[in-house]
Amino acid sequence: MTVAAWLALVVFLGAYTLIATEKVHRVAAALGGAGVMLLIHATGAEAAFFSPTTGIDWNVIFLLLGMMVIVGVLKQTGVFEYLAIWAAKRARGRPFRLMVLLVVITALASALLDNVTTVLLVAPVTFLVCERLALPVAPFLIAEAMASNIGGTATLVGDPPNIIIASRGGLTFNDFLIHLAPLIIVLMAVFIGLCRVMFRKTFRYDPARAAEIMALNEREAIADRRLLWQSLVVLAVVLAAFVLHPVLHYEPSVVAILGAGILVAVTKVTAEDAVREVEWPTLVFFAGLFVMVGALVETGVIAQISKAAVEATQGRLELATIGLLWVSGVLSAVVDNIPYVATMSPIVADLVHANGGDKVLWWALALGADLGGNATAVGAAANVVVLGIAARNRVPISFWQFTKYGLVVTSVTIALCVPYLWLRYLV
C-alpha cells in the first residue's frame, strides 16, 4: 500500500479506538477522524462531499432526516403510546413474549422497508412499553436493531447493500426472496432463541404492572385524531413508495424528504416542533464516518484487503464463497457495509463470470455484509440510529454493551449460513 493508504488506515484505527473505548464522544471522534483524513489528503472535498462511493452518502443522511421529522410529528398524536399498550396487552405483560413480538414485527417491517426506517418507528414504542412494565429498555433496543439487520437481508429493498448487489449482479426482488428469505426465517428463529439466553436477566415478570397494563384502554392514548390520520396517510404513501422503488426509481431519501415536507405543510405542526425530534448528533456522526471510510476506499485500503482475500481462494468456488462470506462479515463489522459492497462488487462480478455465472457468490456477499453489521455498534446504520435514540432519551448504550451481544449473534448467524450455502449451491 502507499504511504497515504497507511496513514489513512492509522487515522481510521485511531478514531475507531476512541469510539470503541468512549474516551471521547463518538461524534467528536468521527468528525476529528474525518478532518484529519482531509488534512493529510487521504481524501479531498470533491470525493468526501460529492462522490457516491467515497463520500458522504447523502441518501442515507436525508432518509434519516425525513423519517425523523415524520416520526416527530407522529409522536405528537399519541400513536406510540397506543401501540405500546397494545403490544404489552398482546404479550400479557410478559417480557420475553413482548421481546419476541417486537423483534418479529421489526424483522418483517425491515424486509419491506429499510432497516433504519423500521427502528425509527419501533424505538419510540419500545421506550413507552418498557416504561409501563418497568423493564430495562437497552436489551429491547439492541435486539430490535439486530432483528432489523437480519430481516432486511431477506429482500432487495431491506438493506442498501442489497440494492448495489442487485444492480451489479442483475438480480431481481424475487431472486432475493427465493434465495435468502428461507434462510432468514431460520436465522430469526435462532436469533429469538439467542435473545432468550443473552437477555435472560431482563425477563422479570411483574404481575402488578401487567395487571395495570391489561386494565388500560389504548384508544384513550390518542391525543389528536385529525393529526394522526394526516400523518398515517403521508406515512403510508412514503412506505408504499419505498416498496415500489424498483418501479418508481425515486430514491428513498427523496421520498422521505418529500413526505416530511408535505406533512409539515398540511398540518398545524410548526417547523420548530417538527425538527425537535431529529437526532442531529447521529446525522453528524454518520457524515464523519462516511468521510473516514471513503478515505479508506479512495486510498485503496479496502480494495487491497478485498483483493488479498480473493487471491487467497486460488480460484476455487467453494473456498471463494465461504471466504467471501466471512471476510465480508468481518469487514462490515468495522466499516460501513455500503462502501464495502460498492468496492467489492466489481471483484465479485469478475469472480462470478470466471465461475460460469454462478450467483452463489452474490448471496455470500449479501449475507456477510448484511449480517456482519450486527457485530459492532457502528457496523450498520440501524445500530448507530438506535444508540443515538437511546442517548437522547438518557439511557445510553455503550459501544461494548452492544458489541458483546453483536459478536455472538453475528458469529452464530454467519456460521449457519455456511451449511446453507454449501448444501444448496456448492454440493
Side-chain angles (χ1 to χ4, degrees), residues 144-188:
E144 288 162 6
M146 293 179 182
S148 73
N149 292 325
I150 296 173
T153 309
T155 67
L156 187 152
V157 298
D159 217 356
N162 291 2
I163 298 175
I164 300 172
I165 291 170
S167 176
R168 278 281 186 176
L171 304 171
T172 67
F173 189 91
N174 288 338
D175 286 332
F176 277 84
L177 278 181
I178 293 169
H179 292 276
L180 296 186
L183 173 61
I184 296 307
I185 293 172
V186 174
L187 294 184
M188 275 304 301

Short mmCIF file of all heavy atoms in Angstrom, two decimals, residues 144-188:
data_model
loop_
_atom_site.label_atom_id
_atom_site.label_comp_id
_atom_site.label_asym_id
_atom_site.label_seq_id
_atom_site.Cartn_x
_atom_site.Cartn_y
_atom_site.Cartn_z
N GLU A 144 -33.85 -5.25 18.75
CA GLU A 144 -34.57 -4.73 17.58
C GLU A 144 -33.61 -4.29 16.48
O GLU A 144 -33.88 -4.53 15.29
CB GLU A 144 -35.45 -3.55 18.02
CG GLU A 144 -36.66 -3.99 18.82
CD GLU A 144 -37.29 -2.88 19.61
OE1 GLU A 144 -36.87 -1.71 19.46
OE2 GLU A 144 -38.20 -3.15 20.41
N ALA A 145 -32.50 -3.65 16.85
CA ALA A 145 -31.51 -3.26 15.84
C ALA A 145 -30.99 -4.48 15.10
O ALA A 145 -30.87 -4.49 13.87
CB ALA A 145 -30.36 -2.50 16.50
N MET A 146 -30.68 -5.53 15.85
CA MET A 146 -30.16 -6.75 15.23
C MET A 146 -31.23 -7.44 14.38
O MET A 146 -30.94 -7.94 13.29
CB MET A 146 -29.65 -7.71 16.31
CG MET A 146 -28.43 -7.19 17.04
SD MET A 146 -27.87 -8.32 18.32
CE MET A 146 -26.50 -7.38 18.99
N ALA A 147 -32.45 -7.46 14.86
CA ALA A 147 -33.54 -8.06 14.09
C ALA A 147 -33.77 -7.31 12.79
O ALA A 147 -34.09 -7.90 11.75
CB ALA A 147 -34.83 -8.08 14.92
N SER A 148 -33.60 -5.98 12.82
CA SER A 148 -33.78 -5.19 11.60
C SER A 148 -32.72 -5.54 10.57
O SER A 148 -33.00 -5.60 9.37
CB SER A 148 -33.75 -3.69 11.91
OG SER A 148 -32.45 -3.25 12.21
N ASN A 149 -31.49 -5.78 11.02
CA ASN A 149 -30.41 -6.14 10.09
C ASN A 149 -30.61 -7.55 9.52
O ASN A 149 -30.33 -7.80 8.34
CB ASN A 149 -29.06 -6.06 10.79
CG ASN A 149 -28.68 -4.63 11.14
OD1 ASN A 149 -28.99 -3.70 10.40
ND2 ASN A 149 -28.04 -4.44 12.28
N ILE A 150 -31.11 -8.46 10.34
CA ILE A 150 -31.36 -9.82 9.86
C ILE A 150 -32.54 -9.82 8.89
O ILE A 150 -32.47 -10.38 7.79
CB ILE A 150 -31.63 -10.78 11.04
CG1 ILE A 150 -30.39 -10.89 11.92
CG2 ILE A 150 -32.03 -12.16 10.53
CD1 ILE A 150 -30.61 -11.67 13.21
N GLY A 151 -33.64 -9.19 9.30
CA GLY A 151 -34.83 -9.16 8.45
C GLY A 151 -34.60 -8.44 7.14
O GLY A 151 -35.11 -8.84 6.09
N GLY A 152 -33.80 -7.36 7.17
CA GLY A 152 -33.53 -6.59 5.96
C GLY A 152 -32.73 -7.35 4.92
O GLY A 152 -32.74 -6.99 3.74
N THR A 153 -32.06 -8.42 5.35
CA THR A 153 -31.26 -9.23 4.43
C THR A 153 -32.14 -10.00 3.44
O THR A 153 -31.69 -10.38 2.36
CB THR A 153 -30.39 -10.23 5.22
OG1 THR A 153 -29.66 -9.52 6.23
CG2 THR A 153 -29.40 -10.96 4.33
N ALA A 154 -33.40 -10.21 3.78
CA ALA A 154 -34.26 -11.11 3.02
C ALA A 154 -34.71 -10.55 1.67
O ALA A 154 -35.07 -11.31 0.78
CB ALA A 154 -35.50 -11.47 3.85
N THR A 155 -34.69 -9.22 1.52
CA THR A 155 -35.24 -8.63 0.28
C THR A 155 -34.28 -7.63 -0.35
O THR A 155 -33.34 -7.15 0.30
CB THR A 155 -36.58 -7.92 0.55
OG1 THR A 155 -36.34 -6.77 1.37
CG2 THR A 155 -37.57 -8.84 1.22
N LEU A 156 -34.57 -7.28 -1.57
CA LEU A 156 -33.75 -6.32 -2.31
C LEU A 156 -33.78 -4.95 -1.66
O LEU A 156 -32.78 -4.23 -1.66
CB LEU A 156 -34.24 -6.25 -3.75
CG LEU A 156 -33.44 -5.44 -4.77
CD1 LEU A 156 -33.65 -6.01 -6.17
CD2 LEU A 156 -33.83 -3.96 -4.78
N VAL A 157 -34.93 -4.54 -1.10
CA VAL A 157 -35.07 -3.19 -0.54
C VAL A 157 -34.80 -3.13 0.95
O VAL A 157 -34.84 -2.06 1.54
CB VAL A 157 -36.50 -2.64 -0.82
CG1 VAL A 157 -36.75 -2.52 -2.30
CG2 VAL A 157 -37.57 -3.51 -0.16
N GLY A 158 -34.51 -4.27 1.58
CA GLY A 158 -34.37 -4.30 3.03
C GLY A 158 -33.12 -3.64 3.55
O GLY A 158 -33.10 -3.12 4.66
N ASP A 159 -32.03 -3.68 2.79
CA ASP A 159 -30.76 -3.12 3.21
C ASP A 159 -30.08 -2.50 1.99
O ASP A 159 -30.04 -3.13 0.93
CB ASP A 159 -29.88 -4.23 3.81
CG ASP A 159 -29.06 -3.74 5.00
OD1 ASP A 159 -29.13 -2.54 5.29
OD2 ASP A 159 -28.37 -4.56 5.63
N PRO A 160 -29.54 -1.26 2.10
CA PRO A 160 -28.94 -0.60 0.94
C PRO A 160 -27.91 -1.44 0.18
O PRO A 160 -27.89 -1.39 -1.06
CB PRO A 160 -28.31 0.66 1.56
CG PRO A 160 -29.17 0.96 2.74
CD PRO A 160 -29.57 -0.39 3.29
N PRO A 161 -27.03 -2.22 0.85
CA PRO A 161 -26.08 -3.03 0.07
C PRO A 161 -26.75 -3.99 -0.90
O PRO A 161 -26.19 -4.31 -1.96
CB PRO A 161 -25.31 -3.79 1.16
CG PRO A 161 -25.39 -2.92 2.36
CD PRO A 161 -26.75 -2.31 2.29
N ASN A 162 -27.95 -4.46 -0.55
CA ASN A 162 -28.66 -5.38 -1.45
C ASN A 162 -29.02 -4.71 -2.77
O ASN A 162 -29.03 -5.36 -3.82
CB ASN A 162 -29.93 -5.90 -0.77
CG ASN A 162 -29.63 -6.84 0.39
OD1 ASN A 162 -28.47 -7.06 0.71
ND2 ASN A 162 -30.66 -7.37 1.00
N ILE A 163 -29.31 -3.42 -2.73
CA ILE A 163 -29.64 -2.69 -3.95
C ILE A 163 -28.42 -2.62 -4.86
O ILE A 163 -28.51 -2.80 -6.08
CB ILE A 163 -30.15 -1.27 -3.61
CG1 ILE A 163 -31.45 -1.35 -2.79
CG2 ILE A 163 -30.38 -0.46 -4.88
CD1 ILE A 163 -31.96 -0.02 -2.29
N ILE A 164 -27.25 -2.39 -4.25
CA ILE A 164 -26.00 -2.34 -5.03
C ILE A 164 -25.72 -3.71 -5.65
O ILE A 164 -25.37 -3.82 -6.82
CB ILE A 164 -24.82 -1.91 -4.12
CG1 ILE A 164 -25.07 -0.52 -3.54
CG2 ILE A 164 -23.51 -1.96 -4.90
CD1 ILE A 164 -24.06 -0.10 -2.49
N ILE A 165 -25.90 -4.77 -4.85
CA ILE A 165 -25.65 -6.14 -5.32
C ILE A 165 -26.61 -6.49 -6.46
O ILE A 165 -26.22 -7.08 -7.47
CB ILE A 165 -25.78 -7.13 -4.16
CG1 ILE A 165 -24.62 -6.94 -3.18
CG2 ILE A 165 -25.83 -8.58 -4.66
CD1 ILE A 165 -24.78 -7.70 -1.88
N ALA A 166 -27.87 -6.12 -6.30
CA ALA A 166 -28.86 -6.42 -7.34
C ALA A 166 -28.52 -5.72 -8.64
O ALA A 166 -28.65 -6.31 -9.73
CB ALA A 166 -30.25 -6.00 -6.86
N SER A 167 -28.06 -4.48 -8.54
CA SER A 167 -27.71 -3.72 -9.74
C SER A 167 -26.51 -4.33 -10.46
O SER A 167 -26.52 -4.50 -11.68
CB SER A 167 -27.40 -2.26 -9.36
OG SER A 167 -26.98 -1.53 -10.47
N ARG A 168 -25.49 -4.70 -9.69
CA ARG A 168 -24.28 -5.28 -10.27
C ARG A 168 -24.51 -6.69 -10.81
O ARG A 168 -23.97 -7.08 -11.84
CB ARG A 168 -23.18 -5.32 -9.22
CG ARG A 168 -22.44 -4.02 -9.05
CD ARG A 168 -21.42 -3.84 -10.15
NE ARG A 168 -20.59 -2.65 -9.93
CZ ARG A 168 -19.59 -2.31 -10.69
NH1 ARG A 168 -19.27 -3.05 -11.73
NH2 ARG A 168 -18.90 -1.22 -10.44
N GLY A 169 -25.32 -7.47 -10.08
CA GLY A 169 -25.50 -8.86 -10.43
C GLY A 169 -26.69 -9.16 -11.31
O GLY A 169 -26.92 -10.33 -11.66
N GLY A 170 -27.48 -8.13 -11.65
CA GLY A 170 -28.67 -8.35 -12.46
C GLY A 170 -29.71 -9.19 -11.75
O GLY A 170 -30.38 -10.03 -12.34
N LEU A 171 -29.86 -8.96 -10.44
CA LEU A 171 -30.77 -9.75 -9.61
C LEU A 171 -32.08 -9.01 -9.39
O LEU A 171 -32.10 -7.77 -9.36
CB LEU A 171 -30.11 -10.07 -8.26
CG LEU A 171 -28.75 -10.76 -8.34
CD1 LEU A 171 -28.10 -10.82 -6.96
CD2 LEU A 171 -28.90 -12.16 -8.91
N THR A 172 -33.16 -9.75 -9.22
CA THR A 172 -34.48 -9.16 -9.04
C THR A 172 -34.95 -9.27 -7.59
O THR A 172 -34.32 -9.96 -6.77
CB THR A 172 -35.51 -9.85 -9.94
OG1 THR A 172 -35.68 -11.21 -9.49
CG2 THR A 172 -35.07 -9.84 -11.39
N PHE A 173 -36.06 -8.61 -7.30
CA PHE A 173 -36.68 -8.69 -5.97
C PHE A 173 -37.00 -10.15 -5.64
O PHE A 173 -36.75 -10.62 -4.52
CB PHE A 173 -37.96 -7.85 -5.95
CG PHE A 173 -38.56 -7.68 -4.58
CD1 PHE A 173 -38.21 -6.62 -3.77
CD2 PHE A 173 -39.49 -8.60 -4.09
CE1 PHE A 173 -38.77 -6.47 -2.50
CE2 PHE A 173 -40.05 -8.46 -2.84
CZ PHE A 173 -39.69 -7.39 -2.04
N ASN A 174 -37.53 -10.88 -6.61
CA ASN A 174 -37.89 -12.28 -6.39
C ASN A 174 -36.66 -13.16 -6.17
O ASN A 174 -36.73 -14.16 -5.45
CB ASN A 174 -38.72 -12.82 -7.56
CG ASN A 174 -40.12 -12.26 -7.58
OD1 ASN A 174 -40.63 -11.81 -6.55
ND2 ASN A 174 -40.75 -12.26 -8.73
N ASP A 175 -35.54 -12.83 -6.80
CA ASP A 175 -34.31 -13.58 -6.58
C ASP A 175 -33.92 -13.57 -5.10
O ASP A 175 -33.56 -14.60 -4.52
CB ASP A 175 -33.16 -13.00 -7.41
CG ASP A 175 -33.28 -13.33 -8.88
OD1 ASP A 175 -33.88 -14.38 -9.20
OD2 ASP A 175 -32.78 -12.55 -9.72
N PHE A 176 -33.98 -12.39 -4.49
CA PHE A 176 -33.64 -12.29 -3.07
C PHE A 176 -34.62 -13.09 -2.22
O PHE A 176 -34.22 -13.77 -1.27
CB PHE A 176 -33.63 -10.82 -2.64
CG PHE A 176 -32.34 -10.12 -2.94
CD1 PHE A 176 -32.12 -9.56 -4.20
CD2 PHE A 176 -31.34 -10.01 -2.00
CE1 PHE A 176 -30.93 -8.92 -4.50
CE2 PHE A 176 -30.14 -9.37 -2.28
CZ PHE A 176 -29.93 -8.83 -3.55
N LEU A 177 -35.90 -12.99 -2.54
CA LEU A 177 -36.90 -13.73 -1.77
C LEU A 177 -36.66 -15.24 -1.85
O LEU A 177 -36.69 -15.95 -0.84
CB LEU A 177 -38.31 -13.41 -2.29
CG LEU A 177 -38.97 -12.13 -1.80
CD1 LEU A 177 -40.36 -12.01 -2.42
CD2 LEU A 177 -39.08 -12.11 -0.27
N ILE A 178 -36.41 -15.73 -3.04
CA ILE A 178 -36.25 -17.17 -3.25
C ILE A 178 -34.98 -17.70 -2.60
O ILE A 178 -34.98 -18.76 -1.97
CB ILE A 178 -36.26 -17.49 -4.76
CG1 ILE A 178 -37.64 -17.20 -5.35
CG2 ILE A 178 -35.86 -18.95 -5.02
CD1 ILE A 178 -37.67 -17.22 -6.87
N HIS A 179 -33.89 -16.94 -2.72
CA HIS A 179 -32.59 -17.45 -2.29
C HIS A 179 -32.24 -17.10 -0.85
O HIS A 179 -31.49 -17.85 -0.21
CB HIS A 179 -31.50 -16.93 -3.23
CG HIS A 179 -31.59 -17.50 -4.61
ND1 HIS A 179 -31.06 -18.71 -4.97
CD2 HIS A 179 -32.18 -17.02 -5.74
CE1 HIS A 179 -31.29 -18.95 -6.23
NE2 HIS A 179 -31.97 -17.94 -6.74
N LEU A 180 -32.73 -15.98 -0.33
CA LEU A 180 -32.32 -15.57 1.01
C LEU A 180 -33.43 -15.64 2.06
O LEU A 180 -33.15 -15.91 3.23
CB LEU A 180 -31.76 -14.14 0.97
CG LEU A 180 -30.48 -13.93 0.15
CD1 LEU A 180 -29.97 -12.50 0.33
CD2 LEU A 180 -29.40 -14.93 0.54
N ALA A 181 -34.67 -15.39 1.67
CA ALA A 181 -35.76 -15.37 2.66
C ALA A 181 -35.90 -16.67 3.45
O ALA A 181 -36.10 -16.62 4.67
CB ALA A 181 -37.09 -15.02 1.97
N PRO A 182 -35.80 -17.87 2.83
CA PRO A 182 -35.91 -19.10 3.64
C PRO A 182 -34.85 -19.19 4.73
O PRO A 182 -35.15 -19.58 5.87
CB PRO A 182 -35.71 -20.21 2.59
CG PRO A 182 -36.12 -19.59 1.29
CD PRO A 182 -35.68 -18.16 1.39
N LEU A 183 -33.63 -18.79 4.41
CA LEU A 183 -32.56 -18.81 5.42
C LEU A 183 -32.84 -17.79 6.52
O LEU A 183 -32.61 -18.07 7.71
CB LEU A 183 -31.22 -18.50 4.75
CG LEU A 183 -30.02 -18.32 5.69
CD1 LEU A 183 -29.76 -19.59 6.49
CD2 LEU A 183 -28.78 -17.91 4.91
N ILE A 184 -33.33 -16.62 6.15
CA ILE A 184 -33.57 -15.56 7.14
C ILE A 184 -34.65 -15.99 8.13
O ILE A 184 -34.57 -15.65 9.32
CB ILE A 184 -33.98 -14.25 6.43
CG1 ILE A 184 -32.81 -13.75 5.56
CG2 ILE A 184 -34.38 -13.18 7.44
CD1 ILE A 184 -31.48 -13.63 6.28
N ILE A 185 -35.64 -16.74 7.69
CA ILE A 185 -36.67 -17.25 8.61
C ILE A 185 -36.02 -18.14 9.67
O ILE A 185 -36.31 -18.04 10.88
CB ILE A 185 -37.75 -18.03 7.84
CG1 ILE A 185 -38.54 -17.07 6.95
CG2 ILE A 185 -38.68 -18.77 8.80
CD1 ILE A 185 -39.50 -17.76 5.99
N VAL A 186 -35.10 -19.00 9.24
CA VAL A 186 -34.39 -19.87 10.17
C VAL A 186 -33.52 -19.05 11.12
O VAL A 186 -33.49 -19.28 12.34
CB VAL A 186 -33.52 -20.89 9.40
CG1 VAL A 186 -32.66 -21.70 10.37
CG2 VAL A 186 -34.39 -21.81 8.56
N LEU A 187 -32.81 -18.06 10.57
CA LEU A 187 -31.93 -17.23 11.39
C LEU A 187 -32.72 -16.43 12.42
O LEU A 187 -32.25 -16.22 13.55
CB LEU A 187 -31.13 -16.27 10.50
CG LEU A 187 -30.10 -16.90 9.55
CD1 LEU A 187 -29.32 -15.82 8.82
CD2 LEU A 187 -29.16 -17.83 10.30
N MET A 188 -33.92 -15.98 12.07
CA MET A 188 -34.75 -15.25 13.04
C MET A 188 -35.18 -16.17 14.18
O MET A 188 -35.21 -15.74 15.34
CB MET A 188 -35.97 -14.65 12.34
CG MET A 188 -35.72 -13.29 11.70
SD MET A 188 -35.07 -12.04 12.85
CE MET A 188 -36.39 -12.00 14.08
#
